[in-house]
Structures are given as C-alpha cells and as structure tokens.
Amino acid sequence: MLQADVQKALTALNLEQVAAGDYAKTGCHLEVAAAPAQMPEVAKAMLSVGCFLESLTGLHYPEHFTLVYHFNHFRELCRTAVKVKVPLDQEAVSISHIYPGANWYEREAYDLFGIRFAGHPDLRRILLPFEADFHPLLKKFEASQNDA
C-alpha cells in the first residue's frame, strides 16, 4: 500500500524515472531518477507519505557526480533510492530545510567529494580538518615528482 502511495506522489512530479525496484537484488522497492532542481519537491513528497531520509551518498564519475538518497518508512518497509546526476561544474540543491538530518549528510558529501549544495545553511567540512585542501573520494589523483 505505501509503495503505491510513494509511487503516485513521485509520478506526479514528472521525474526522469519512477520504477519498481528489485528488492532481492538492490534492497530497494522503488528506484527513482530526478534532476538536481527536483530534489526539494521529491523530499517534500517523501515526507508527505511519512518517509525518513535513511542516507545520502555520492559517486564520482568523470563527467558528473551521482547523489543517491535512500528513503524509508518506520511502519511499512518501502525503501526508495533516488539518484540525481549533478554535472561537475554545478551545485546540488540542499534538502536540509525539509529533512534537517540531511545537513550532516550534505556536509559529508561536500567534505569527501567537494559537492556543493545550494541553499545549505552551513556548508563546511565535517570530518576532515577545516584547512584540508583536497576531497579524498574524488577520482582524480595527480602524482607529484616526489611520488615517483
């Protein structure tokens, strides 16, 4: 029942993809693809059906980042993965004003990948020292003469 409600709420947003997931393979009941600007509306829709933000992680590809948001529900299992491709030269959109717990997840994505979130209230490092000048999970490693 909840899965149908979530699917209906997300389908109304005209997202790139709202499809049933293969729970046995992926651990997700629904798999969604959205544009970065659509994330606040996706978050509002998930909140309206009683879902919580379980996690947020990032992936670095040569041409873009992919953010993966996992939403779930306490009473009825309906795990939903929302994937958002963010071009390397653009910012993602913060959902911390909708899900306050996203504040730390977004700060972690910034700290480890360098992904910026437009509208974030306090985007600064959370794990690494403030003076760090690198993002350790980027797939760009430039060797110096001393590394040879």
Side-chain angles (χ1 to χ4, degrees), residues 9-115:
L10 294 176
T11 300
L13 300 176
N14 295 319
L15 304 174
E16 294 173 26
Q17 173 189 332
V18 178
D22 184 348
Y23 185 76
K25 281 186 175 180
T26 66
C28 294
H29 297 91
L30 289 172
E31 295 187 13
V32 178
Q38 294 176 304
M39 255 334 280
E41 292 306 313
V42 170
K44 287 176 188 174
M46 297 305 290
L47 188 60
S48 75
V49 293
C51 290
F52 65 92
L53 179 63
E54 187 177 90
S55 67
L56 164 60
T57 191
L59 303 161
H60 180 217
Y61 294 96
E63 63 283 346
H64 68 273
F65 293 107
T66 295
L67 292 171
V68 183
Y69 298 79
H70 286 110
F71 295 92
N72 210 335
H73 196 275
F74 284 113
R75 291 193 196 106
E76 188 177 337
L77 185 61
C78 182
R79 194 156 189 248
T80 303
V82 180
K83 295 180 180 178
V84 178
K85 287 184 180 179
V86 181
L88 296 176
D89 62 345
Q90 291 184 14
E91 294 183 334
V93 180
S94 178
I95 62 167
S96 62
H97 60 289
I98 301 161
Y99 283 99
N103 183 313
W104 283 34
Y105 290 135
E106 291 172 358
R107 285 180 60 191
E108 181 182 38
Y110 165 70
D111 200 7
L112 300 178
F113 290 98
I115 302 169

